[in-house]
Amino acid sequence: MADFHPVTKAVVPAAGLGTRFLPATKATPKEMLPIVDKPAIQYVVEEAVSAGLLDVLMVTGKNKRSIEDHFDRAIELEDALEAKGDDERLSQVREPADLATLHYVRQGEPRGLGHAVLCAKQHVGDHPFACLLGDDLIDYRDELLKRMIEVRRTHGGSVIALMEVPKEQVSLYGCAAIEPTSEDDVVRVTDLVEKPAAEDAPSNWAIIGRYVIDPAVFEVLENTPPGRGNEIQLTDALRTLAGRGGDEGGPVHGVLFRGRRYDTGNKLDYLRTVVQFAADRADLAPEFMPWLKEFLASR
């Protein structure tokens, strides 16, 4: 097996404006909207930590200070809960600050996901890193990121998560042209297209928000012109790397994910996600599910 640099850092882009959730996101970051009782972005950080990545860089923007506050200590609140003897809530309050070593950098203006990743260059340096998008939550039981890191360890280059979507939805994603390998869940990526029309898509295997990326991406991003939406697209940079050999930062492989993914990128999928998480909660489901069935039956 080849000896590639280990993946130890995670980058979480969280600088978006959250326009699809206005007016709720006028003053509250979209990433801080709760999935039952925990902000979505905490699930993302927990996923990185469970994959062994304890160094996490958040790429934030204006009006995102509450993200930093959430992952910081809240001494007055902790003291109040401790004085009440409320150990359960005290543990919940302390948990985010104890998850990992968090760092922050600001993306000065919204110039696309590729530019947000480029903002991580100084922190990441010349090491491979994971990139986790907050719109996608992956069920902790499926361990997608661990598998992607294993594939990087074997093949080098970059690794993207791919999920099969209906053809009418491919225009919402970056899509990949793929070739099989000797592993059932691993493919070689030969081309990538950002949000193609259905008739132009190379396949219906779509990129979901998990990446393990070779540091060569930074040089490529610095020379990638704005693409779709007049933004610097990470998909375009990965397309360049897909055509390179191992000595130039390539290739790109994909992990075919058939597990449980929860979308929080729009209102309808966000509501679905909240209901699914509540239905899985042992402390909520016994009362929530009968109520939900009764409510649906009454509609």
Side-chain angles (χ1 to χ4, degrees):
M1 182 182 295
D3 182 18
F4 297 109
H5 288 300
V7 181
T8 61
K9 298 183 179 183
V11 174
V12 180
L17 298 176
T19 53
R20 284 178 287 184
F21 284 86
L22 287 170
T25 49
K26 178 182 177 182
T28 301
K30 179 187 69 174
E31 297 83 3
M32 289 299 295
L33 295 179
I35 308 299
V36 184
D37 56 3
K38 188 187 298 185
I41 199 164
Q42 184 172 334
Y43 289 101
V44 176
V45 174
E46 288 173 350
E47 181 185 348
V49 170
S50 69
L53 311 180
L54 302 180
D55 183 328
V56 179
L57 175 71
M58 297 271 189
V59 182
T60 66
K62 293 179 180 179
N63 301 320
K64 301 280 185 168
R65 181 61 185 269
S66 61
I67 295 177
E68 296 185 38
D69 290 342
H70 179 71
F71 290 99
D72 199 358
R73 297 293 299 275
I75 300 301
E76 290 184 0
L77 178 57
E78 291 176 23
D79 287 347
L81 292 171
E82 191 168 16
K84 292 180 179 180
D86 193 339
D87 294 337
E88 181 179 356
R89 289 188 175 87
L90 178 61
S91 176
Q92 292 170 346
V93 167
R94 285 177 172 170
E95 182 183 12
D98 295 334
L99 281 172
T101 301
L102 273 292
H103 309 269
Y104 301 89
V105 64
R106 278 197 173 190
Q107 182 185 20
E109 53 183 317
R111 296 177 58 195
L113 176 58
H115 181 262
V117 170
L118 186 55
C119 292
K121 178 180 179 181
Q122 184 174 0
H123 181 79
V124 170
D126 60 353
H127 294 278
F129 61 99
C131 179
L132 300 85
L133 305 190
D135 285 351
D136 285 313
L137 304 183
I138 304 298
D139 196 290
Y140 70 93
R141 292 165 288 191
D142 291 323
E143 298 190 332
L144 170 61
L145 191 56
K146 282 186 178 180
R147 176 59 177 149
M148 294 173 68
I149 292 171
E150 288 176 2
V151 173
R152 154 73 197 190
R153 189 181 302 127
T154 301
H155 298 285
S158 298
V159 184
I160 60 177
L162 297 172
M163 192 167 192
E164 199 166 19
V165 300
K167 195 168 184 64
E168 60 270 19
Q169 293 183 16
V170 295
S171 62
L172 303 175
Y173 299 88
C175 294
I178 59 177
E179 295 177 347
T181 70
S182 59
E183 299 173 272
D184 289 342
D185 65 333
V186 179
V187 293
R188 174 75 179 262
V189 175
T190 60
D191 198 9
L192 291 163
V193 183
E194 178 66 17
K195 296 182 178 178
E199 61 271 17
D200 298 326
S203 75
N204 61 335
W205 284 98
I207 307 170
I208 58 175
R210 297 296 181 271
Y211 309 79
V212 175
I213 307 177
D214 190 273
V217 76
F218 295 125
E219 169 263 324
V220 176
L221 285 169
E222 288 172 335
N223 295 283
T224 297
R228 188 174 181 87
N230 200 34
E231 296 180 335
I232 298 174
Q233 298 290 347
L234 179 60
T235 301
D236 293 341
L238 290 169
R239 183 174 188 258
T240 297
L241 293 180
R244 291 185 175 185
D247 57 343
E248 297 180 299
V252 175
H253 284 84
V255 170
L256 305 181
F257 182 62
R258 299 180 175 91
R260 290 155 286 197
R261 166 191 175 241
Y262 310 97
D263 191 345
T264 63
N266 61 70
K267 295 173 187 177
L268 183 57
D269 285 331
Y270 171 79
L271 290 172
R272 290 188 181 115
T273 296
V274 172
V275 170
Q276 288 173 297
F277 272 61
D280 277 343
R281 287 271 297 260
D283 60 329
L284 297 176
E287 292 186 45
F288 176 67
M289 292 305 294
W291 172 85
L292 182 60
K293 291 175 183 177
E294 182 179 339
F295 174 75
L296 293 175
S298 70
R299 304 300 288 175

